[in-house]
Amino acid sequence: MDRIEDVLEKALEKVDNDRYKLSCFVFSRVKELGNGATPLVNMDVTRYKLTDIALKEIAEGKIFLDRIDSIE
């Protein structure tokens, strides 16, 4: 896995360097992964934290932020 600082920097670029948007986006994706969604990157959910997987997916452009309506 890449250094988390590099992954975070790439992920921030995907959301126009808006840390609030990124945190909401990561939270939403972690919730999906926690409910059994398959990771879109080659990372084992038993070995890596869900937040790291979500950040990597965002950084690699595997998922996109269209909009955040609500977070339950």
Side-chain angles (χ1 to χ4, degrees):
M1 185 172 144
D2 298 331
R3 289 183 37 180
I4 193 65
E5 293 86 6
D6 297 333
V7 173
L8 179 58
E9 183 180 334
K10 289 178 187 175
L12 274 168
E13 289 173 5
K14 300 291 183 182
V15 293
D16 299 324
N17 292 312
D18 188 327
R19 291 179 182 271
Y20 177 74
K21 281 184 189 176
L22 181 61
S23 66
C24 290
F25 195 13
V26 168
F27 175 78
S28 178
R29 183 60 180 154
V30 165
K31 199 169 166 187
E32 291 175 355
L33 290 168
N35 287 329
T38 304
L40 302 175
V41 292
N42 190 19
M43 294 175 74
D44 184 5
V45 294
T46 60
R47 185 167 176 222
Y48 294 98
K49 295 178 183 177
L50 297 180
T51 52
D52 293 339
I53 295 171
L55 278 172
K56 182 83 169 173
E57 290 176 337
I58 296 165
E60 290 186 3
K62 303 286 184 176
I63 55 177
F64 302 96
L65 177 66
D66 292 330
R67 68 172 192 252
I68 298 174
D69 289 329
S70 65
I71 298 175
E72 296 176 11

